[in-house]
Amino acid sequence: FLVGALVARYQKYLPTDPRRIAATAAGVCAVGMVLATAGFSWGTTGSLYDQILVYRAISFGWVGVGFLLAALAASMLKLRANAMLVSIGDASYSLYLLHPVLLKVVRGLMSHIPADSLWHIPLAPATVVAIVWACMQWYRWIEKPLYERACQWAIRPTPHT
């Protein structure tokens, strides 16, 4: 979050010359991908990965910063995400809040499948798709209407006495 705020603060200092924009975007994207790759490599191969939460948070934090820089580079080049990615982004808070509960439900359901069954292979990616879909529906039918209603209530004029 703090790195995102810092990037937003200094984004106004980026070049405006079209020739320099492309070169700067390429450099920003390269740095981002190096950070993402280093963070992922460090986080998944370190001997302490599964024992120290801070170690895992820092290493995967690098991944987040790397993708943030790649998104900044895409923004500099005026590249836009497709509608499906925008929809997933809109539902990202719902995804953040609901995924632990949904994973617990899926874990309970998967416990009925024998551990040596090959059904685990197709069910793993299907679980990701199902959780993202469920969170998008939650956003569309629950979170967004409640948010809009709350905004209407907050903006409503107060009677003068």
Side-chain angles (χ1 to χ4, degrees):
F1 171 77
L2 292 175
V3 173
L6 185 66
V7 167
R9 169 81 171 92
Y10 288 100
Q11 190 173 10
K12 64 183 174 188
Y13 298 113
L14 293 174
T16 56
D17 177 23
R19 291 171 290 181
R20 292 194 59 218
I21 288 175
T24 304
V28 167
C29 188
V31 169
M33 290 302 95
V34 166
L35 280 175
T37 303
F40 187 73
S41 298
W42 180 40
T44 57
T45 60
S47 60
L48 301 176
Y49 166 72
D50 61 341
Q51 298 171 4
I52 300 176
L53 183 60
V54 172
Y55 180 82
R56 188 169 51 230
I58 291 171
S59 64
F60 286 111
W62 286 13
V63 176
V65 171
F67 284 125
L68 176 70
L69 291 175
L72 174 62
S75 171
M76 291 170 66
L77 295 173
K78 307 280 191 253
L79 299 176
R80 300 289 176 237
N82 67 27
M84 177 58 85
L85 289 177
V86 171
S87 296
I88 293 172
D90 288 344
S92 64
Y93 191 64
S94 297
L95 186 60
Y96 167 73
L97 290 177
L98 295 175
H99 85 275
V101 174
L102 296 174
L103 282 174
K104 189 169 186 123
V105 169
V106 168
R107 196 174 301 128
L109 295 172
M110 297 277 280
S111 68
H112 299 294
I113 300 173
D116 59 349
S117 172
L118 293 178
W119 277 105
H120 289 282
I121 295 170
L123 288 177
T127 297
V128 172
V129 171
I131 288 175
V132 169
W133 180 84
C135 291
M136 289 172 69
Q137 299 311 306
W138 178 274
Y139 171 78
R140 179 179 180 190
W141 297 107
I142 297 172
E143 181 183 337
K144 188 175 179 182
L146 286 174
Y147 175 77
E148 289 171 354
R149 209 170 287 152
C151 286
Q152 289 171 355
W153 177 78
I155 296 173
R156 163 178 74 172
T158 57
H160 296 284
T161 57

